[in-house]
Amino acid sequence: MAKGRILIDVERCKGCELCREACPPDVIALADTLNSKGYRPVMLLDPQHECTGCALCATVCPDGCITVYRESVPKPQRKRKQPAYPGHVIPVAA
Amino acid sequence: MVTLEPPIEQLPCENLIYSRPESLAEIQTHYCPGCTHGVAHRLVAEVIDELEIQERTILVAPVGCAVFAYNYFDFDSAEAAHGRAPAMATGLKRVNPNSIVFTYQGDGDLASIGIAEAIHAATRGENITVIFVNNAIYGMTGGQMAPTSLIGQVTTSSPTGKDAALTGMPMHIAEMMAPLPGVVYSVRRSLHDARHTIQAKKAIRTAFEAQIQGLGFSIVELLSSCPTNWKMTPLDAAHWVRDEMIPVYPLGDFKVAEPLQNKNRSA
């Protein structure tokens, strides 16, 4: 599975924890420290690298403070079909 | 045994999947933690970025919790008197037909004081878009009863619960707008979880596309949460929307004009 990571703008986060509810692998936690507004921001707590970069946390974030990156996995090269016999034409899907 | 690996600083080759939309200004909103007004703002900004209409979009801000909405978007905006946003949007659209004009209104603004302006703009078929945020309470003024409050809901002006015999039944705006002749798109969506948020974004996009095509009045009603005035945690408020509001305000498409019907519809 593709790995991902999220960046959290801790100064803008208000610690509502809606992203924690939305996160399927549950890798978001509240920080121990406060930000300058006095909120406890969320942080990525992902010791086993379970974040998949699904961006559901960013979808529900009311303050738009989550940026999501996902590892790009190179797609396997598709082999071109070889003609079955010389002169055979491969039909092209319409 | 959990092995602790150092946090990922940067993946070896990574793609940006999601970042804050460009149309949303780099300002912290004044909304309470967990208020889905912020989600609605972000969805509108994402749709405007995707449709590439930032340069010609005009927001008409309401009175209510979203009264400072003009600070949070990076495009032109105007502030209307309480409830008069559709009337102001009518004027803006008529003098500048190439602009994309939308109003962003709450339930106190649209369903209560501004219901006449909304209905007449809809009946005239003004080519504007209305984003209607329904959180069943007056948020800015301290949690009074709204026309959209549920029966039995405790608010500061209905301390024993809303009484249907005294103050009437909840008002269903999306259903009410649908039969009006000028309306081309009237739907209700919810913002309480990720799946419904994605559906809401599709609806907002379709509403703006209706305006770009010049079809007429489009309205998207968004069920929103108000954790502070409902006196709940943000998570409980989201569950309250799911368990209490959606049975009263069913999600769905109440009017979708013919040219819009092949769009990404989901309810």
Side-chain angles (χ1 to χ4, degrees):
Chain A
M1 188 167 284
K3 280 182 189 170
R5 69 181 177 109
I6 60 173
L7 277 180
I8 295 159
D9 184 346
V10 292
E11 281 305 309
R12 203 186 272 135
C13 176
K14 294 171 182 165
C16 68
E17 297 187 83
L18 290 180
C19 52
R20 290 187 70 183
E21 168 83 351
C23 180
D26 197 12
V27 292
I28 302 176
L30 278 184
D32 288 336
T33 52
L34 305 179
N35 64 15
S36 65
K37 302 266 180 182
Y39 294 116
R40 278 179 74 187
V42 292
M43 53 181 282
L44 179 66
L45 190 66
D46 191 9
Q48 295 187 308
H49 297 179
E50 288 172 305
C51 176
T52 60
C54 67
L56 288 181
C57 51
T59 305
V60 299
C61 177
D63 294 284
C65 47
I66 300 181
T67 309
V68 183
Y69 295 92
R70 190 190 297 157
E71 191 178 26
S72 59
V73 180
K75 287 181 182 171
Q77 293 290 320
R78 289 179 65 186
K79 284 183 182 174
R80 290 186 64 187
K81 283 184 181 173
Q82 296 296 323
Y85 51 86
H88 175 76
V89 178
I90 300 168
V92 177
Chain B
M1 176 71 186
V2 176
T3 54
L4 283 174
E5 295 176 32
I8 305 175
E9 293 297 329
Q10 193 173 4
L11 296 166
C13 68
E14 61 183 10
N15 293 333
L16 179 64
I17 300 297
Y18 184 89
S19 69
R20 194 178 166 82
E22 217 176 90
S23 296
L24 208 57
E26 291 281 336
I27 297 172
Q28 189 176 36
T29 64
H30 72 282
Y31 300 119
C32 308
C35 172
T36 43
H37 260 300
V39 180
H41 278 38
R42 193 167 45 76
L43 295 184
V44 169
E46 285 175 16
V47 166
I48 283 170
D49 281 356
E50 285 173 14
L51 295 173
E52 297 179 349
I53 52 173
Q54 185 185 3
E55 292 296 316
R56 56 191 184 118
T57 299
I58 304 174
L59 156 75
V60 183
V63 172
C65 277
V67 67
F68 295 129
Y70 50 79
N71 283 333
Y72 303 144
F73 290 109
D74 194 7
F75 42 71
D76 293 340
S77 47
E79 174 68 47
H82 198 358
R84 273 61 183 167
M88 194 169 190
T90 299
L92 288 169
K93 185 72 182 182
R94 286 191 179 190
V95 297
N96 191 0
N98 285 329
S99 59
I100 304 295
V101 182
F102 77 99
T103 72
Y104 182 104
Q105 298 177 270
D107 45 7
D109 196 70
L110 188 143
S112 181
I113 189 170
I115 190 72
E117 276 75 9
I119 285 183
H120 282 281
T123 309
R124 293 193 305 268
E126 297 294 343
N127 190 19
I128 59 175
T129 300
V130 174
I131 309 295
F132 170 47
V133 177
N134 177 1
N135 57 10
I137 206 161
Y138 286 170
M140 184 186 74
T141 50
Q144 289 83 8
M145 180 173 56
T148 47
S149 293
L150 308 186
I151 299 303
Q153 187 179 344
V154 174
T155 66
T156 52
S157 56
S158 60
T160 56
K162 182 174 178 176
D163 180 9
L166 183 66
T167 48
M169 298 294 285
M171 192 179 257
H172 292 67
I173 296 293
E175 284 95 327
M176 221 170 75
M177 291 289 185
L180 300 177
V183 177
V184 292
Y185 191 67
S186 176
V187 299
R188 182 181 292 118
R189 297 288 186 266
S190 174
L191 298 173
H192 69 276
D193 64 11
R195 178 177 146 240
H196 289 86
T197 304
I198 293 166
Q199 291 174 351
K201 184 180 168 184
K202 287 180 181 168
I204 293 171
R205 189 184 166 104
T206 310
F208 276 97
E209 282 171 345
Q211 184 180 164
I212 291 170
Q213 294 175 32
L215 300 176
F217 189 89
S218 49
I219 178 167
V220 179
E221 176 173 347
L222 300 170
L223 298 185
S224 176
S225 66
C226 184
T228 301
N229 287 310
W230 294 352
K231 299 176 176 54
M232 297 177 190
T233 64
L235 213 53
D236 288 345
H239 294 162
W240 198 82
V241 171
R242 183 190 66 199
D243 300 334
E244 305 288 336
M245 277 184 85
I246 290 180
V248 177
Y249 294 109
L251 307 182
D253 301 350
F254 302 104
K255 188 173 199 178
V256 181
E258 191 68 36
L260 300 170
Q261 289 196 351
N262 292 328
K263 295 293 169 197
N264 301 324
R265 290 181 57 202
S266 54

